[in-house]
Amino acid sequence: MFLNVRDFEEVARTRLDPVYYDYVAGGARDEVTLRANEEGFQRLSLLPRVLRGREKRELDVSLFGSRASMPVLLSPTAFHRLVHPEGELATARAAAAAGAIMIVSMASTVAVEEVAAAARAAVPDRAPALWFQLYLQPDLEFTEALVRRATEAGCTALVVTVDSPVLGLSERNKRNGFTDLPEGLRCENLRELRGGEPGSVRQIVMSPELSWEHVDWLRRHTSLPILLKGVLHPEDARLALRHGVDGLLLSNHGGRQLDSVPSTVDLLPEMVDAVGGRIPVLLDGGVRRGTDVVKALALGAAAVGVGRPVVWGLAADGERGVRRVLELLREELDHTLALCGAGSLRDLTPDLVRRTPAGRG
Ligand SMILES: Cc1cc2nc3c(=O)[nH]c(=O)nc-3n(C[C@H](O)[C@H](O)[C@H](O)COP(=O)(O)O)c2cc1C
Ligand SMILES: CC(C)CC(=O)C(=O)O
């Protein structure tokens, strides 16, 4: 029985090739940050208010022009066809049906146009909420064409991942010899547009030479809102403001890039402070429960993202699994709001969160 997100991980573990399970579950090096993300939430306690609740709670949010049924979105995760044959098509249908924002990974194994078409077909009466995650490629002509493709496909915001000047190192992947997608799977957004072998697919380039000038370049080449994913230093948050960025997705890549960085929820108050309310701060990393969502929102996040939970849902039970994972998080969020005496997300304020004394959490 799937009672919570962790139940999906257990089933996914039994279903998946252990090499692919490790790819998804794993983090960088000693996995200190991977563990810290969940522990960060566990160390925080909630302090509910009483006698001020409401019969029906409002969970919907509006973010960068996208309406969503809840402040939980699908963080970008690569290679969905590695865990289920329908891959991102199933994920997109589930997200659209749940009214959740899906951030399509640049490294999706289904082309962004097809992902968008699947989402639209799932909810013919409304526009599904899709954003696109981008690794800025040093080949700016290619990057520009990709941004155009994502925009024309119907993605309405760009989430630029900036924590990957080089790829993080997962020792699980190394031990397992997992370096490439298996035969038949490709990053469909990386197809050559011209030149190269017909139908050939590029490798994603992680470039240490990317700079704020590239963000400025992107700002000039798109009218879509730009969010930066992976800014962790408050000084970089302030720089993001100066470079006209529209939002931050506070993320340590689920502990997959630099190991030993703090958990995202521990950094959240400082980052919220750094931007001083001028742009929304979203957060991902370690969100597994409705209580985690409430803690993050109370501390100032505009929304949270989930990465692995979606992949576990997909691996365990395809589209239905992703649907259920999103439903569970929504139900838990609603239930937690009720127990906290919050009638809406606006009632979530920092005073509802306490740091558990050391040794007790
Ligand atoms: C299997 C997997 C693939 C990922 N692929 C991407 C990606 O393509 N682009 C990206 O910006 N982040 C990627 N991430 C990071 C997620 O967007 C997100 O930051 C992270 O998973 C959040 O932590 P959580 O898994 O604890 O929810 C990936 C994470 C996982 C687990
Ligand atoms: C390197 C990407 C293709 C995928 C990614 O970001 C990840 O696996 O964390």
Side-chain angles (χ1 to χ4, degrees):
M1 202 178 1
F2 294 119
L3 283 183
N4 58 51
V5 164
R6 282 177 225 285
D7 289 342
F8 279 93
E9 173 166 5
E10 273 318 296
V11 173
R13 195 157 58 84
T14 60
R15 296 256 162 99
L16 285 175
D17 179 326
V19 174
Y20 302 157
Y21 171 79
D22 269 352
Y23 163 67
V24 178
R29 303 289 182 179
D30 285 322
E31 303 189 333
V32 172
T33 297
L34 172 68
R35 287 188 297 277
N37 277 343
E38 289 189 31
E39 287 164 5
F41 282 108
Q42 286 158 11
R43 274 199 309 272
L44 298 176
S45 305
L46 286 169
L47 206 62
R49 298 297 304 269
V50 296
L51 300 173
R52 58 164 222 190
R54 216 188 280 167
E55 183 60 32
K56 268 184 99 57
R57 270 107 11 223
E58 288 165 23
L59 303 189
D60 45 323
V61 287
S62 186
L63 287 164
F64 305 105
S66 297
R67 294 222 38 93
S69 64
M70 60 173 170
V72 179
L73 46 87
L74 290 83
S75 277
T77 46
F79 310 157
H80 287 192
R81 288 186 64 208
L82 207 55
V83 304
H84 191 276
E86 289 172 29
E88 289 82 0
L89 296 175
T91 315
R93 288 186 200 113
I101 296 167
M102 173 174 176
I103 309 177
V104 180
S105 168
M106 170 163 157
S108 59
T109 42
V110 174
V112 61
E113 294 84 355
E114 290 173 47
V115 176
R120 274 196 302 274
V123 289
D125 53 323
R126 58 187 151 89
L130 289 177
W131 299 353
F132 188 74
Q133 177 264 326
L134 185 70
Y135 286 110
L136 278 163
Q137 298 297 283
D139 179 345
L140 292 178
E141 201 185 330
F142 185 83
T143 303
E144 191 181 349
L146 186 53
V147 167
R148 200 174 319 120
R149 270 181 72 183
T151 309
E152 284 170 6
C155 296
T156 53
L158 295 175
V159 178
V160 182
T161 303
V162 291
D163 60 13
S164 308
V166 292
L167 193 59
L169 195 140
S170 154
E171 293 181 6
R172 298 201 210 199
N173 289 347
K174 255 206 152 150
R175 269 186 238 288
N176 293 334
F178 178 56
T179 49
D180 269 318
L181 284 173
E183 196 60 32
L185 297 192
R186 281 176 297 262
C187 290
E188 295 294 338
N189 300 320
L190 275 287
R191 269 189 193 288
E192 286 294 353
L193 299 162
R194 47 181 169 274
E197 294 266 301
S200 66
V201 168
R202 291 184 174 213
Q203 294 284 334
I204 296 180
V205 177
M206 306 287 182
S207 168
E209 293 190 334
L210 289 177
S211 71
W212 289 100
E213 280 173 29
H214 291 87
V215 175
D216 297 338
W217 172 89
L218 184 64
R219 181 71 291 166
R220 290 195 300 275
H221 283 80
T222 182
S223 54
L224 295 186
I226 297 174
L227 289 85
L228 295 188
K229 174 172 185 279
V231 169
L232 296 176
H233 198 295
E235 198 48 48
D236 283 337
R238 286 187 275 271
L239 274 172
L241 287 175
R242 272 186 251 143
H243 287 269
V245 164
D246 302 283
L248 295 179
L249 173 45
L250 173 57
S251 171
N252 53 36
H253 216 113
R256 296 161 75 85
Q257 281 299 114
L258 176 61
D259 197 21
S260 276
V261 305
S263 85
T264 46
V265 75
D266 282 339
L267 277 177
L268 179 63
E270 210 179 332
M271 293 300 262
V272 167
D273 223 43
V275 303
R278 287 171 60 193
I279 54 173
V281 177
L282 289 64
L283 167 149
D284 75 18
V287 174
R288 301 292 179 266
R289 286 286 191 184
T291 45
D292 300 335
V293 183
V294 164
K295 289 170 187 174
L297 266 59
L299 292 174
V304 299
V306 283
R308 294 180 184 83
V310 168
V311 185
W312 302 142
L314 182 64
D317 201 15
E319 178 183 341
R320 207 166 43 172
V322 180
R323 276 282 291 268
R324 190 69 195 125
V325 162
L326 296 173
E327 256 167 39
L328 278 169
L329 289 170
R330 192 171 197 285
E331 284 165 18
E332 287 186 20
L333 168 60
D334 184 55
H335 193 229
T336 309
L337 285 177
L339 287 168
C340 284
S344 85
L345 304 174
R346 280 185 303 279
D347 296 335
L348 297 177
T349 43
D351 55 292
L352 303 186
V353 179
R354 286 281 190 281
R355 189 158 293 278
T356 314
R360 304 240 319 270

